[in-house]
Amino acid sequence: MPSKTVAAVTEVEEPHTMAGLQFNEPLSWRAGKAIPVAELLKRLNALSKEMEKMEQEENDRESFTKVAKELVSPNLLGHKDKGVKALTASCFVDILRLCAPDAPYTEQQLRDIFNMIIGQILPALADPSNAYNNQHLYVLVSLAQVKSIVLLADIPSADTLIKNVFSIGFDVISGSSKSSPGEEVQKNVEINMTQLLVSLVDESQTLPPEVVDIIVAQFLRADPKALSGIGTKNKRNGVVDEKQSKLVLRQLPPAYNMAKYICNACPEKMARYFSQYFNDVIVDASKSSNQKQSGKSKKRHSDGPEDSDDDHLGQPSEEELKELRKVHGLLRELWRACPAVLQNVIPQLEAELSAENVQLRLLATETLGDITSGVGAAGLPAPPLLDPAAYPSNALSNPLENTVSLNLLTKPSSPQPFPSAHPQAYSNYLGRRHDKSALIRAAWTTGVGRILTTAAGGAGLSQQEEDHLISDLGRMMGDADEKVRIAAVRVVASFSFRDLVFKLGRPGGVTESGSLLATLADRVRDRKHSVREEAMTVLARIWGVAVGEISAGNEQITALLGGIPSKILDTYYTNDIEIMVLLDRVFFQQLLPLNYPPIKAKGSKLTNGNSHGARGSQEVVEKNEEAIDPDRIRTERILLLARGLDERAKKVFYAIQSRQLMLSKVMSAYLTRCEDYNGGVIDDNESQIKEHLTRLIKTFAGLLPNPQQASSDLWKFAKMHDRRSYQLIRFCMAPESDYRTVYKAIKEFTKRIVDASPSTAASNSLLDTLTPLLYRVSLIVYNKSHVPAVMEYSRTDNKLLAATAHEVLREISSRTPEVLKAHVQEICKILQDEAPSAKKPNDAGAVDNLKACASFASKYPKEIPQDRKFLQAMSSFALYGSPPEAAKYAVSVIWAATGKKEGLARELAQKCIKGFKYGEEGFLSRLATLSQLMLLAPNEIDEQSSDDILDIGIKQILLQVREPSSKPVDTYEWSSTVDPEALAKCWALKILVNRIRSHPDAETLPDVAAPVYNLISTLIEQQGEVSKAKNTPPTHKSRLRLLAARQYLKLCTQKSHDALLTPSAFNALTTVAQDSEKPVRAGFLQRLKKYLNQQKLPQRFYTIPFLLAFEPSEALRSDVTTWIKSRAAAFSSAKSTGSSTKANIVMESVFARLLSVLSHHPDYANDAEDLIDFSRYIIFYLQNVATADNLSLIYHIAQRVKQCRDAVSSTPAPDAPPTEADNRLYHLSDLAQVTIRKYEDMHNWTIQTLPAKVRLPSSLFSEIKSHAEAQRIAEHHYLPDGVEAGVEDLLKATMKAARSAQHGKKRKSEGGDVDGRDSKKVKSGLPIRKASGVKEKKTVSEKTKTPKAKKMKETEAQGSGERRRSGRVKEVEKSYAERDSEEDDEEMEMMDSGGLEPESEGDVEADEPRVEGDGEESIHNEVEQEELEDRAEAEDEEPAASKSTPKSTPRSRKKPTVSPQSKSKASPRAKQRGTRSRAVAV
């Protein structure tokens, strides 16, 4: 069959002369005489060919009349043959072309012609394989290029035809036409169809609304979710293949491009049509919503602080919302495709921002944010994956990081910057951050994040605009509503690593206050758990991605993000169980992911396909040829994390590891009892097994947020009786397990729990309970697989990790030395090679290896080499090791592992003594060796050698001042550096203390210990001064005083030595907690808390922390306060579990001791002002200990103190009048009772009368023998006038300050006000402590002068107050025989079945040495607090040098109100002491 080509339309023929159409054959027929189809086709083809070659200007239009008439006959228009219709349509378009501009047809005929073309010809274009495709294409090209299609606009009521043109045109191009075989149409069909539709739009006066709907619908093709509403050939009924939907589109759909071209070609008309279209949907919906709200308040929504999210009265229906969402999605895509058509729609969208209805405002806010970001209907591409387990980690130079999205539908794109095109709308959009609805603010926050991540859709933002948006994002992270804060945190997670650094990191890092990253870091302490979880996870992922750059030494990344682990681990101090469980998950899933690095074995290829990762990873992998060691890579990450931690966070890091040792014992017991339980089938000891299992489950359940659910899950696990699971947990805890074994055991355990559970909810519940416990008992960090790499880093200092590696090695050796079994021989070999001599020093890291070896030898002495060469190396370290601690550890190794230790000990002692001379090479090492020998091998040192050692320690070292101080006598300073003379004195003091610590004879101990106790007391009382010339350097004095106090603590861990510390000496010891130098106070309290946590000290030592009421360092005060509360909670928990009765009232019984200590305090005076100040100690105690349950007991103890006499100063005759010390006690007793009553009133508690009395320590209190005297004392009120009112004012100010601080924390944790503005700082209402000045202590008979009560200024902050300490030091009794022949000083305890004893006069009880705890039951209370405290060095180690603290200038004292007589009686020495102050100002 003849065919024609498209080129025929535009082909130019040679000029020829034709008078008109030559075709003269009939094309119509009468009924019953039809022309055969073949003949008809032949004639139509001839006519078509002839007219195709004709030009408009060269023919006689009259010659077309007959043909034109015949072509519109019903026989041709309604012919069944497709070829006849195709050729007829070709002839029609030629007639229209040649007769233009006047078509030779009536309106009805044109309607019939276009009905045939539109209904039959145009749809056939969808099938390129059609036999008449060329004719179809010819028709389309002619209509488009000649623009004959515009004749439709002249036909009356042609809306249906126009709608069909658009509908069929888009269907043909998109392949959704019914005639489409699924093949792609030709490109020229798309081009000409587009031109046809543009002509129709351009020439039409108006377009039917249905046409606008059709055009708009094409933009939905950008949204894969909306394809179901459009339909395609192979995706009918809205069924979209998931695999197909994930394919990346490399070009936009043709129908989408057609609609886009039409809108851009006719922007003014389309803008008008679109405005009307969106007005019908948006404005009508707004009006409908407003009408529903006719009865509601009309107040402006952006002005009120309330959230109207729950107001559903005026909400649109679901159908309306669905349509609105669809329309707003179209607006997003229209902005990307043709922003000009939205010039009239944007104001409508802007008006939506002010709608009363929340859903409308929400849609408008989301839409404007996405429009500004260039986000279309398909949404954003998947955010960049911040995978903390990827190896190598992402780097700033990573090319994959900058790869744009290949999916054109999701690639953000804005043809023009929205803020410039519509500044008013953009300004109003930015104002939505103040919206009263949290939903709106959350959506706005998400939108701002998208604007930042896409750089306003690629249009770009100025640095000022970017900084403004980042600042706003930071404010939203502090919003009052948790939904907004969560949205802000998630926004940060959507940024790529590069943008995190160069955009969000521009204001500062996580440690720089006010920066966005610092605000994000603050969210880890948010009050809402959901916010904490999001923030902590995002922060940890960021650090996990940044670890590659940190490893490579990128200082910018380290400064910005290096502090993240510290911020996360610092949340441990909140003592919140939910946070602790979250911390476990984040620690082992984000910071140190269990599957990091995802490499199976050495020599494996990189897993993320990125061979151009971080510079740090390039150093690890050289040209992909060097074998990759996963254990080494993992160890490096552990060390990098530990190195970047601050001091507080580092304690938590090591506490998490140390906790494993304690909990693994409980887990082992639990697994054993589970096996005995046998799934509930028990043969023997059923009650005992169930009781023990119940206690173990209760212990574990107490460590989790939901104890009831945890208990149920643990019982369920026990009933499952899965022996394989038991073994897997044991694999995780075993020191012999390498890391791969632990990791695979955790994976298999998780899989077994999931498989064994009947439902997903049941498995999730079990895993939520068991996974945190499994993390806590598994040897993940202190694993034997990491030891070789730790040792390697400690030797090589690669990437400056040597110091951290040494620290980790020390911790491993002290906590879990079992993991060193496989490597101890290597450590010993290294030590043997590095042994020092008189001319050759040892390596700096040898001390850590020695400590590890000593810790291991104490448990496994047979594993240590016994050969002569190794012992010689240890002897060399003992004589020449540096620092001196190396010598100490070497002696410990020799003593623990050697069979001939006695002879070696004597030999070492002789070498150290012989020719000892201060300043010679190794003299400090010899002192350290002698100190350790005095502790470990006292029996191997003969009497003469012992005398020589004492001579060296006392005469040659302690009493000598080789560099006398030229400063005033009372100068007292701290230095972060320690000179050799100070070190020598410290070791000398340790020699003396170790000598009495190892003294074997209890009978002779008091005589032997008395001189040492005397020396220690002198050092404490004389501010570290021991020289008669009073010329000890100030920095030596502070160190000696700290060491003396810590040695007292160490001695008192033994019951026999504690008995030698008299109450007066103890009172002097308590003043160290108020030393003028913070490092001294902190170092002393550090060791005190450590021993108390380990239950090594008697209960009386719990008194000391309560003397920090005036502590100027907020950090130290807060730390101690947290510790006190944790210990109080632990004792309270022990009480609830029915543990030892003696332990139940430890913190309450301390109150009597506290009053005794305060009565002997150097600053005490009986005047009103000082008593009011002293009430702060009582308030501090009550704030940390008192509850509604124990307040009655505390009040009873305060009353009991007034029923006794002081036994510390002296033991007066029974009928003697009260002494000054007694009167002090009575003043403090009345003061305590007043304070407690006021405290009771403020808390609305009730003090109950106890049925019996509490027994007080006999070492501190004695009975009042005379009943009349006791009655007189009880009835007499000792407080001066004004004290009660002053205490009430102080208590109110204190409570107000506490509430303000708590409110500030809450506001900070919740985020502040709606605008994100910081809350106003609330000044503390506590007055500054005025320490006693020059005054004379009044006797009992002297009348007390009562000064006027001074008004407390609530603006004065307690933090700037001065410590409760003065230069006055009372002479302490030097007798060390504290008690009678009765039992040791025993803590007061409750008697009878109810814990109380029937009342009897003068009932005084001796002290109890220390609290004994049930290890298994106390783990829950101890493990979470014990390891948080300041970690000291080994017991015999030298105190670590603290950072230098700037010395504050002495604070001026307030002059006390004293009478002229008393003022004249003050001695010059008292005046001197009164003006001295070493308080450290905050």
Side-chain angles (χ1 to χ4, degrees), residues 34 127 137 210 318 402 409 414 449 655 664 701 823 865 950 974 1112 1192 1194 1300 1317 1418 1442:
D127 184 7
L137 187 56
E210 295 83 359
E318 274 303 317
N402 303 320
L409 297 182
S414 181
S664 61
H823 311 283
L950 293 178
W974 178 269
S1192 299
I1194 297 172
S1300 300
R1317 294 186 295 269
S1418 64
S1442 302

Side-chain angles (χ1 to χ4, degrees), residues 63-111:
S63 62
F64 300 111
T65 304
K66 178 184 176 183
V67 174
K69 183 178 180 181
E70 290 181 332
L71 287 174
V72 296
S73 66
N75 295 332
L76 291 178
L77 293 177
H79 204 284
K80 295 181 180 181
D81 187 80
K82 295 181 180 180
V84 172
K85 291 183 177 180
L87 289 172
T88 301
S90 297
C91 294
F92 271 132
V93 296
D94 280 333
I95 290 291
L96 296 176
R97 174 175 63 85
L98 295 173
C99 297
D102 299 320
Y105 297 110
T106 64
E107 292 177 352
Q108 183 58 43
Q109 290 174 333
L110 283 175
R111 185 187 299 277

Side-chain angles (χ1 to χ4, degrees), residues 613-630:
R615 288 170 286 171
S617 60
Q618 291 176 356
E619 297 173 9
V620 177
V621 186
E622 297 179 5
K623 300 179 181 179
N624 288 336
E625 294 179 356
E626 183 182 349
I628 299 175
D629 183 1

Side-chain angles (χ1 to χ4, degrees), residues 1293 1324-1328 1350-1357:
S1324 171
L1326 295 179
I1328 299 176
K1350 293 178 173 54
K1351 186 177 180 180
M1352 306 284 181
K1353 294 183 180 180
E1354 294 190 358
T1355 58
E1356 294 178 326

Side-chain angles (χ1 to χ4, degrees), residues 147-292:
K147 298 186 177 181
S148 304
I149 192 67
V150 301
L151 292 172
L152 275 177
D154 298 331
I155 300 175
S157 304
D159 289 355
T160 302
L161 287 175
I162 295 175
K163 183 196 76 171
N164 291 340
V165 170
F166 280 88
S167 176
I168 292 171
F170 284 115
D171 286 346
V172 168
I173 298 304
S174 64
S176 58
S177 175
K178 293 181 180 179
S179 59
S180 175
E183 298 180 23
E184 185 176 353
V185 297
Q186 300 174 16
K187 188 66 178 176
N188 57 348
V189 174
E190 178 185 343
I191 294 172
N192 286 281
M193 186 69 77
T194 303
Q195 187 60 44
L196 182 148
L197 298 180
V198 168
S199 299
L200 197 55
V201 171
D202 193 39
E203 295 296 332
S204 299
Q205 292 296 325
T206 59
L207 284 178
E210 295 83 359
V211 172
V212 179
D213 291 347
I214 293 170
I215 296 174
V216 168
Q218 307 313 309
F219 292 99
L220 287 176
R221 297 181 184 275
D223 184 3
K225 299 176 184 178
L227 288 178
S228 58
I230 300 175
T232 61
K233 176 72 176 178
N234 298 322
K235 301 183 180 73
R236 292 196 178 106
N237 301 323
V239 179
V240 181
D241 188 351
E242 291 185 3
K243 296 182 179 179
Q244 295 293 325
S245 67
K246 295 179 181 178
L247 294 177
V248 174
L249 294 177
R250 297 185 179 275
Q251 60 183 10
L252 294 170
Y256 178 97
N257 286 327
M258 282 179 58
K260 176 180 177 180
Y261 187 87
I262 292 170
C263 293
N264 287 323
C266 310
E268 294 182 0
K269 281 194 172 183
M270 295 309 299
R272 187 172 67 251
Y273 296 142
F274 280 6
S275 176
Q276 183 61 41
Y277 172 82
F278 288 109
N279 185 71
D280 293 341
V281 179
I282 297 176
V283 175
D284 289 350
S286 299
K287 288 181 179 178
S288 173
S289 172
N290 289 336
Q291 289 172 1
K292 293 177 184 179

